[in-house]
Coordinates of all heavy atoms in Angstrom, one line a residue:
M1 N -39.8 10.2 55.4 CA -38.6 10.4 56.1 C -38.8 11.0 57.5 O -39.6 12.0 57.6 CB -37.6 11.2 55.3 CG -36.3 11.3 55.9 SD -35.1 12.0 54.7 CE -33.9 12.6 55.8
S2 N -38.2 10.5 58.5 CA -38.4 11.0 59.8 C -37.2 11.9 60.2 O -36.1 11.6 59.9 CB -38.4 9.8 60.8 OG -39.4 8.9 60.6
K3 N -37.6 13.0 60.8 CA -36.6 14.0 61.3 C -36.8 14.1 62.8 O -37.8 14.5 63.3 CB -36.9 15.4 60.6 CG -35.7 16.3 60.9 CD -35.9 17.6 60.0 CE -34.7 18.5 60.4 NZ -34.9 19.8 59.8
I4 N -35.8 13.6 63.5 CA -35.9 13.4 64.9 C -35.0 14.4 65.7 O -33.8 14.6 65.3 CB -35.5 11.9 65.3 CG1 -36.4 10.9 64.5 CG2 -35.5 11.7 66.8 CD1 -35.9 9.5 64.6
L5 N -35.6 15.0 66.7 CA -34.8 15.9 67.6 C -34.8 15.2 69.0 O -35.8 15.0 69.6 CB -35.5 17.2 67.7 CG -34.8 18.2 68.6 CD1 -33.4 18.6 68.2 CD2 -35.7 19.5 68.8
I6 N -33.6 15.0 69.5 CA -33.4 14.4 70.8 C -32.9 15.5 71.7 O -31.9 16.2 71.3 CB -32.5 13.2 70.8 CG1 -33.1 12.1 69.9 CG2 -32.1 12.8 72.2 CD1 -32.2 10.9 69.7
I7 N -33.5 15.7 72.8 CA -33.1 16.7 73.8 C -32.0 16.0 74.7 O -32.3 15.0 75.4 CB -34.2 17.2 74.7 CG1 -35.4 17.7 73.8 CG2 -33.7 18.4 75.6 CD1 -35.0 18.7 72.7
A8 N -30.8 16.5 74.7 CA -29.7 15.9 75.5 C -30.0 16.1 77.0 O -30.3 17.1 77.4 CB -28.4 16.6 75.1
E9 N -29.8 15.0 77.7 CA -29.8 15.0 79.1 C -28.4 15.1 79.6 O -27.5 14.4 79.1 CB -30.5 13.7 79.7 CG -30.7 13.8 81.1 CD -31.5 12.6 81.7 OE1 -32.1 11.8 80.9 OE2 -31.5 12.4 82.9
H10 N -28.2 16.0 80.5 CA -26.8 16.2 81.0 C -26.8 16.8 82.4 O -27.9 17.2 82.9 CB -26.0 17.1 80.1 CG -26.7 18.5 79.9 ND1 -26.4 19.5 80.8 CD2 -27.6 18.9 79.0 CE1 -27.1 20.6 80.4 NE2 -27.8 20.2 79.3
D11 N -25.7 16.8 83.1 CA -25.6 17.4 84.4 C -24.9 18.8 84.4 O -24.5 19.2 85.5 CB -24.8 16.4 85.3 CG -23.3 16.3 84.9 OD1 -22.9 16.9 83.9 OD2 -22.6 15.4 85.5
G12 N -24.9 19.4 83.3 CA -24.3 20.7 83.2 C -22.8 20.7 82.7 O -22.2 21.7 82.4
G13 N -22.2 19.5 82.7 CA -20.9 19.4 82.2 C -20.6 18.1 81.4 O -19.6 18.0 80.7
K14 N -21.5 17.1 81.6 CA -21.3 15.8 81.0 C -22.6 15.2 80.5 O -23.6 15.3 81.2 CB -20.6 14.8 82.0 CG -20.2 13.5 81.4 CD -19.5 12.6 82.4 CE -19.3 11.3 81.7 NZ -18.7 10.3 82.6
L15 N -22.6 14.7 79.3 CA -23.7 14.1 78.7 C -24.1 12.8 79.5 O -23.3 12.0 79.9 CB -23.4 13.7 77.3 CG -24.6 13.3 76.3 CD1 -25.5 14.6 76.1 CD2 -24.0 12.9 75.0
N16 N -25.4 12.6 79.7 CA -26.0 11.5 80.4 C -26.0 10.3 79.4 O -26.4 10.5 78.2 CB -27.4 11.8 81.0 CG -27.9 10.7 81.8 OD1 -28.1 9.5 81.4 ND2 -28.2 11.0 83.1
A17 N -25.7 9.1 79.8 CA -25.8 7.9 79.0 C -27.1 7.7 78.3 O -27.2 7.1 77.3 CB -25.3 6.7 79.8
S18 N -28.2 8.2 78.9 CA -29.5 8.0 78.4 C -29.7 8.6 77.0 O -30.4 8.2 76.2 CB -30.6 8.5 79.3 OG -30.5 9.9 79.5
T19 N -28.9 9.7 76.8 CA -29.0 10.4 75.5 C -28.4 9.4 74.4 O -29.0 9.3 73.3 CB -28.2 11.7 75.5 OG1 -28.8 12.5 76.6 CG2 -28.3 12.4 74.2
A20 N -27.3 8.8 74.7 CA -26.8 7.9 73.7 C -27.7 6.7 73.4 O -27.9 6.3 72.3 CB -25.4 7.3 74.2
K21 N -28.4 6.2 74.5 CA -29.3 5.1 74.3 C -30.5 5.6 73.4 O -31.0 4.8 72.6 CB -29.8 4.7 75.7 CG -28.8 3.9 76.5 CD -29.2 3.6 77.8 CE -28.1 3.0 78.7 NZ -28.5 2.6 80.0
C22 N -30.9 6.8 73.6 CA -32.0 7.4 72.8 C -31.6 7.5 71.3 O -32.4 7.2 70.4 CB -32.5 8.7 73.4 SG -34.0 9.3 72.7
V23 N -30.4 7.9 71.1 CA -29.9 8.0 69.7 C -29.8 6.7 69.1 O -30.2 6.5 67.9 CB -28.5 8.7 69.7 CG1 -27.9 8.6 68.3 CG2 -28.7 10.2 70.1
T24 N -29.3 5.7 69.8 CA -29.3 4.3 69.3 C -30.6 3.8 68.9 O -30.8 3.2 67.8 CB -28.6 3.4 70.3 OG1 -27.3 3.8 70.6 CG2 -28.6 1.9 69.8
C25 N -31.6 4.0 69.7 CA -33.0 3.6 69.5 C -33.5 4.3 68.2 O -34.1 3.7 67.3 CB -33.9 3.9 70.7 SG -35.5 3.3 70.5
A26 N -33.3 5.6 68.2 CA -33.9 6.4 67.0 C -33.2 6.0 65.7 O -33.8 6.1 64.7 CB -33.6 7.9 67.3
A27 N -32.0 5.6 65.8 CA -31.2 5.2 64.6 C -31.8 3.9 63.9 O -31.6 3.7 62.7 CB -29.8 5.0 64.9
K28 N -32.7 3.2 64.7 CA -33.3 2.0 64.1 C -34.5 2.4 63.2 O -35.0 1.5 62.5 CB -33.7 1.1 65.3 CG -32.5 0.5 66.0 CD -32.9 -0.4 67.1 CE -31.6 -0.9 67.8 NZ -31.8 -1.9 68.8
I29 N -34.9 3.6 63.2 CA -36.0 4.1 62.3 C -35.3 4.3 60.9 O -34.5 5.1 60.8 CB -36.6 5.3 62.8 CG1 -37.3 5.1 64.2 CG2 -37.7 5.9 61.8 CD1 -37.8 6.3 64.9
A30 N -35.8 3.5 60.0 CA -35.2 3.6 58.6 C -35.3 5.0 58.0 O -36.4 5.6 58.1 CB -35.9 2.6 57.7
G31 N -34.2 5.5 57.5 CA -34.2 6.8 56.9 C -34.3 8.0 57.8 O -34.5 9.1 57.4
A32 N -34.1 7.8 59.1 CA -34.2 8.9 60.1 C -33.0 9.8 60.0 O -31.8 9.3 59.9 CB -34.4 8.3 61.5
T33 N -33.2 11.1 60.2 CA -32.2 12.0 60.4 C -32.3 12.4 61.9 O -33.4 12.8 62.4 CB -32.4 13.3 59.6 OG1 -32.4 12.9 58.2 CG2 -31.3 14.3 59.8
I34 N -31.2 12.3 62.6 CA -31.2 12.5 64.1 C -30.4 13.8 64.4 O -29.2 13.8 64.1 CB -30.7 11.3 64.8 CG1 -31.5 10.1 64.5 CG2 -30.7 11.5 66.3 CD1 -30.8 8.8 64.9
D35 N -31.0 14.7 65.1 CA -30.3 15.9 65.6 C -30.4 15.9 67.1 O -31.4 15.4 67.7 CB -30.9 17.2 65.1 CG -30.8 17.4 63.6 OD1 -30.0 16.6 63.0 OD2 -31.5 18.2 63.0
V36 N -29.4 16.4 67.8 CA -29.5 16.5 69.3 C -29.4 17.9 69.7 O -28.6 18.7 69.2 CB -28.3 15.7 69.9 CG1 -28.3 15.9 71.4 CG2 -28.4 14.2 69.5
A37 N -30.3 18.3 70.6 CA -30.3 19.7 71.1 C -29.7 19.7 72.5 O -30.1 18.9 73.4 CB -31.7 20.2 71.2
V38 N -28.7 20.6 72.7 CA -28.1 20.7 74.0 C -28.5 22.1 74.5 O -28.1 23.1 74.0 CB -26.5 20.6 73.9 CG1 -25.9 20.8 75.3 CG2 -26.1 19.2 73.4
L39 N -29.2 22.1 75.6 CA -29.6 23.4 76.3 C -28.9 23.5 77.6 O -29.0 22.6 78.4 CB -31.1 23.4 76.5 CG -32.0 23.5 75.3 CD1 -32.3 22.1 74.8 CD2 -33.3 24.2 75.6
A40 N -28.0 24.5 77.7 CA -27.1 24.6 78.9 C -26.6 26.0 79.0 O -26.8 26.8 78.1 CB -25.9 23.6 78.7
A41 N -26.1 26.3 80.1 CA -25.5 27.6 80.3 C -24.1 27.7 79.6 O -23.8 28.7 79.0 CB -25.2 27.9 81.8
D42 N -23.4 26.6 79.6 CA -22.1 26.4 78.9 C -22.2 25.1 78.2 O -22.0 24.0 78.9 CB -20.9 26.6 79.8 CG -19.6 26.4 79.1 OD1 -19.6 26.4 77.8 OD2 -18.6 26.3 79.8
A43 N -22.5 25.0 76.9 CA -22.8 23.8 76.2 C -21.6 23.1 75.5 O -21.8 22.0 74.9 CB -24.0 24.0 75.3
A44 N -20.5 23.8 75.4 CA -19.4 23.3 74.5 C -19.0 21.8 74.7 O -19.0 21.0 73.8 CB -18.2 24.2 74.6
A45 N -18.7 21.5 76.0 CA -18.2 20.1 76.2 C -19.3 19.1 76.0 O -19.1 18.0 75.5 CB -17.7 20.0 77.7
I46 N -20.5 19.4 76.4 CA -21.7 18.5 76.2 C -22.0 18.3 74.7 O -22.2 17.2 74.2 CB -22.9 19.1 76.9 CG1 -22.6 19.3 78.4 CG2 -24.1 18.1 76.8 CD1 -23.6 20.2 79.1
A47 N -21.9 19.4 74.0 CA -22.2 19.4 72.5 C -21.1 18.5 71.8 O -21.5 17.8 70.9 CB -22.2 20.8 71.9
A48 N -19.9 18.6 72.3 CA -18.8 17.8 71.7 C -19.1 16.3 71.9 O -18.9 15.5 71.0 CB -17.5 18.2 72.2
E49 N -19.6 16.0 73.1 CA -19.9 14.6 73.4 C -21.1 14.1 72.5 O -21.0 13.0 72.0 CB -20.3 14.4 74.9 CG -19.1 14.4 75.8 CD -19.6 14.1 77.2 OE1 -20.0 12.9 77.5 OE2 -19.6 15.0 78.1
A50 N -22.1 15.0 72.4 CA -23.2 14.6 71.6 C -22.9 14.4 70.1 O -23.3 13.5 69.4 CB -24.3 15.7 71.7
A51 N -22.0 15.3 69.6 CA -21.5 15.2 68.2 C -20.8 13.9 67.9 O -20.8 13.4 66.8 CB -20.7 16.4 67.9
A52 N -20.2 13.3 68.9 CA -19.4 12.1 68.8 C -20.2 10.9 68.8 O -19.7 9.8 68.4 CB -18.3 12.0 69.9
L53 N -21.5 11.0 69.1 CA -22.4 9.8 69.1 C -22.7 9.3 67.6 O -23.0 10.2 66.8 CB -23.7 10.1 69.8 CG -23.6 10.5 71.2 CD1 -25.0 10.9 71.8 CD2 -23.1 9.3 72.1
A54 N -22.6 8.0 67.4 CA -22.9 7.5 66.1 C -24.3 7.7 65.7 O -25.2 7.5 66.5 CB -22.5 6.0 66.1
G55 N -24.5 8.2 64.5 CA -25.9 8.4 64.0 C -26.4 9.9 64.2 O -27.4 10.2 63.6
V56 N -25.7 10.7 64.9 CA -26.1 12.1 65.0 C -25.7 12.9 63.8 O -24.5 13.0 63.4 CB -25.5 12.7 66.3 CG1 -25.8 14.2 66.4 CG2 -26.0 12.0 67.5
S57 N -26.7 13.6 63.2 CA -26.4 14.4 62.0 C -25.9 15.8 62.4 O -25.1 16.3 61.7 CB -27.7 14.5 61.2 OG -28.1 13.3 60.7
K58 N -26.6 16.4 63.4 CA -26.3 17.7 63.8 C -26.6 17.9 65.3 O -27.4 17.3 65.8 CB -27.2 18.7 63.0 CG -27.0 20.1 63.2 CD -27.8 21.0 62.3 CE -29.2 20.6 61.9 NZ -29.9 21.6 61.2
V59 N -25.8 18.8 65.9 CA -26.0 19.2 67.3 C -26.4 20.7 67.3 O -25.7 21.5 66.8 CB -24.8 19.0 68.2 CG1 -25.0 19.5 69.6 CG2 -24.4 17.5 68.1
L60 N -27.6 20.9 67.9 CA -28.1 22.3 68.1 C -27.7 22.7 69.5 O -28.0 22.0 70.4 CB -29.6 22.3 67.9 CG -30.1 21.7 66.6 CD1 -31.7 21.6 66.6 CD2 -29.6 22.5 65.4
V61 N -27.1 23.9 69.6 CA -26.6 24.4 70.9 C -27.5 25.6 71.3 O -27.6 26.5 70.5 CB -25.2 24.7 70.9 CG1 -24.7 25.4 72.1 CG2 -24.3 23.5 70.6
V62 N -28.0 25.6 72.5 CA -28.8 26.7 73.0 C -28.1 27.1 74.3 O -28.3 26.4 75.3 CB -30.3 26.4 73.2 CG1 -31.0 27.6 73.8 CG2 -30.9 26.0 71.9
E63 N -27.3 28.1 74.3 CA -26.6 28.5 75.5 C -27.4 29.7 76.1 O -27.7 30.7 75.4 CB -25.2 28.9 75.3 CG -24.3 27.7 75.0 CD -22.8 28.1 75.0 OE1 -22.5 29.2 74.5 OE2 -22.0 27.2 75.4
N64 N -27.8 29.6 77.3 CA -28.6 30.6 78.0 C -28.3 30.4 79.5 O -28.3 29.3 80.1 CB -30.1 30.3 77.8 CG -31.0 31.2 78.4 OD1 -30.7 32.0 79.4 ND2 -32.3 31.2 78.0
P65 N -27.9 31.5 80.2 CA -27.6 31.4 81.6 C -28.7 30.7 82.5 O -28.5 30.1 83.4 CB -27.4 32.8 82.1 CG -27.0 33.5 80.8 CD -27.7 32.8 79.7
A66 N -30.0 31.0 82.0 CA -31.1 30.4 82.7 C -31.2 28.9 82.6 O -31.9 28.2 83.4 CB -32.4 31.0 82.1
N67 N -30.5 28.3 81.6 CA -30.5 26.8 81.5 C -29.6 26.1 82.5 O -29.5 24.9 82.5 CB -30.0 26.5 80.1 CG -31.0 26.9 79.0 OD1 -32.2 27.1 79.3 ND2 -30.6 27.0 77.8
K68 N -28.9 26.9 83.4 CA -28.1 26.2 84.4 C -28.9 25.3 85.3 O -28.4 24.3 85.7 CB -27.3 27.3 85.2 CG -26.4 26.7 86.2 CD -25.5 27.8 86.9 CE -24.5 27.1 87.8 NZ -23.6 28.0 88.3
E69 N -30.1 25.8 85.6 CA -31.0 24.9 86.4 C -32.1 24.4 85.4 O -32.8 25.2 84.9 CB -31.7 25.8 87.5 CG -30.7 26.3 88.5 CD -30.0 25.3 89.3 OE1 -30.5 24.2 89.6 OE2 -28.8 25.5 89.6
P70 N -32.2 23.1 85.3 CA -33.1 22.5 84.3 C -34.5 22.5 84.7 O -35.1 21.5 85.1 CB -32.5 21.1 84.1 CG -31.9 20.8 85.4 CD -31.4 22.1 85.9
L71 N -35.2 23.7 84.6 CA -36.6 23.8 85.0 C -37.4 23.7 83.7 O -37.1 24.4 82.7 CB -36.8 25.1 85.7 CG -36.0 25.4 87.0 CD1 -36.2 26.8 87.5 CD2 -36.4 24.4 88.0
A72 N -38.5 23.0 83.8 CA -39.4 22.8 82.6 C -39.9 24.2 82.1 O -40.0 24.4 80.9 CB -40.6 21.9 83.0
A73 N -40.2 25.1 83.0 CA -40.7 26.4 82.6 C -39.7 27.2 81.8 O -40.1 28.0 81.0 CB -41.1 27.2 83.9
V74 N -38.4 26.9 82.0 CA -37.4 27.6 81.2 C -37.1 26.8 79.9 O -36.9 27.4 78.9 CB -36.1 27.7 82.1 CG1 -35.0 28.3 81.3 CG2 -36.4 28.6 83.3
L75 N -37.0 25.5 80.0 CA -36.6 24.7 78.9 C -37.7 24.5 77.8 O -37.4 24.6 76.6 CB -36.0 23.4 79.3 CG -34.8 23.4 80.2 CD1 -34.4 21.9 80.6 CD2 -33.7 24.1 79.6
A76 N -38.9 24.4 78.3 CA -40.0 24.0 77.4 C -40.2 25.0 76.2 O -40.3 24.6 75.1 CB -41.3 23.8 78.1
P77 N -40.2 26.3 76.5 CA -40.4 27.3 75.4 C -39.2 27.2 74.4 O -39.4 27.4 73.2 CB -40.4 28.7 76.1 CG -40.7 28.4 77.5 CD -40.2 27.0 77.8
Q78 N -38.0 27.0 74.9 CA -36.8 26.8 74.0 C -37.0 25.6 73.1 O -36.7 25.6 71.9 CB -35.6 26.8 74.8 CG -35.3 28.1 75.6 CD -34.1 27.9 76.5 OE1 -33.0 28.2 76.1 NE2 -34.4 27.5 77.7
I79 N -37.4 24.5 73.7 CA -37.6 23.2 73.0 C -38.7 23.4 71.9 O -38.5 22.9 70.8 CB -37.8 22.1 74.0 CG1 -36.6 21.8 74.8 CG2 -38.2 20.8 73.2 CD1 -36.8 20.9 76.0
A80 N -39.8 24.0 72.3 CA -40.9 24.2 71.4 C -40.4 25.0 70.1 O -40.8 24.6 69.0 CB -42.0 25.0 72.1
K81 N -39.6 26.0 70.3 CA -39.0 26.7 69.1 C -38.1 25.8 68.3 O -38.2 25.8 67.0 CB -38.2 27.9 69.6 CG -39.1 29.0 70.1 CD -38.3 30.2 70.5 CE -39.2 31.3 71.1 NZ -38.4 32.5 71.6
L82 N -37.3 25.0 68.9 CA -36.4 24.1 68.2 C -37.2 23.0 67.4 O -36.8 22.5 66.4 CB -35.4 23.4 69.1 CG -34.4 24.3 69.7 CD1 -33.6 23.5 70.8 CD2 -33.4 24.9 68.7
A83 N -38.3 22.5 68.0 CA -39.1 21.4 67.5 C -39.8 21.6 66.2 O -40.2 20.6 65.5 CB -40.1 20.9 68.6
V84 N -39.9 22.9 65.8 CA -40.6 23.1 64.5 C -39.9 22.4 63.4 O -38.7 22.6 63.2 CB -40.7 24.7 64.3 CG1 -41.2 25.0 62.9 CG2 -41.5 25.4 65.4
G85 N -40.7 21.7 62.6 CA -40.1 21.0 61.4 C -39.7 19.5 61.7 O -39.3 18.8 60.8
Y86 N -39.7 19.1 63.0 CA -39.3 17.8 63.3 C -40.5 16.9 63.4 O -41.6 17.3 63.8 CB -38.5 17.7 64.6 CG -37.1 18.2 64.5 CD1 -36.8 19.6 64.8 CD2 -36.1 17.4 64.2 CE1 -35.5 20.0 64.6 CE2 -34.8 17.8 64.0 CZ -34.5 19.2 64.3 OH -33.2 19.6 64.1
T87 N -40.4 15.6 63.0 CA -41.5 14.7 63.0 C -41.6 14.0 64.4 O -42.7 13.6 64.8 CB -41.4 13.6 61.9 OG1 -40.1 12.9 62.1 CG2 -41.5 14.2 60.6
H88 N -40.5 13.9 65.1 CA -40.4 13.3 66.4 C -39.5 14.1 67.3 O -38.5 14.6 66.9 CB -39.8 11.9 66.3 CG -40.5 11.0 65.4 ND1 -40.4 11.0 64.1 CD2 -41.3 9.9 65.7 CE1 -41.2 10.1 63.5 NE2 -41.7 9.4 64.5
V89 N -39.9 14.3 68.6 CA -39.1 15.0 69.6 C -39.0 14.1 70.8 O -40.0 13.6 71.3 CB -39.7 16.4 70.0 CG1 -38.8 17.1 71.0 CG2 -39.8 17.3 68.7

């Protein structure tokens, strides 16, 4: 069984369409469980959009003021912690 974590792409207020495309693609893996991680300074609206995507089992929310600017040095350590236990990220 595949456990997939998709990192939501967004502009700080709205989910990017590429996230939905990624979920659609991941859903084609038989038996996959798909979770979406939203890393943002204020993630409520983005998380709600992610939760509405067909095929998403759970939305993980990481709110951190440092996530306002999507810098790899800030996001990568948070993603690494979330990725434990997933077969695909």
Side-chain angles (χ1 to χ4, degrees):
M1 184 165 156
S2 298
K3 190 169 178 190
I4 301 170
L5 177 63
I6 296 173
I7 310 304
E9 186 176 348
H10 60 85
D11 64 4
K14 185 176 177 187
L15 194 64
N16 188 301
S18 64
T19 302
K21 291 176 185 177
C22 191
V23 169
T24 299
C25 183
K28 293 181 181 185
I29 298 173
T33 300
I34 304 166
D35 295 345
V36 176
V38 177
L39 292 90
D42 180 11
I46 303 161
E49 285 185 70
L53 296 174
V56 173
S57 298
K58 179 172 44 173
V59 176
L60 307 172
V61 174
V62 179
E63 288 189 324
N64 180 343
N67 291 342
K68 186 173 183 172
E69 299 298 327
L71 301 172
V74 173
L75 299 180
Q78 296 172 87
I79 293 168
K81 286 181 185 176
L82 291 174
V84 173
Y86 286 91
T87 58
H88 302 75
V89 179

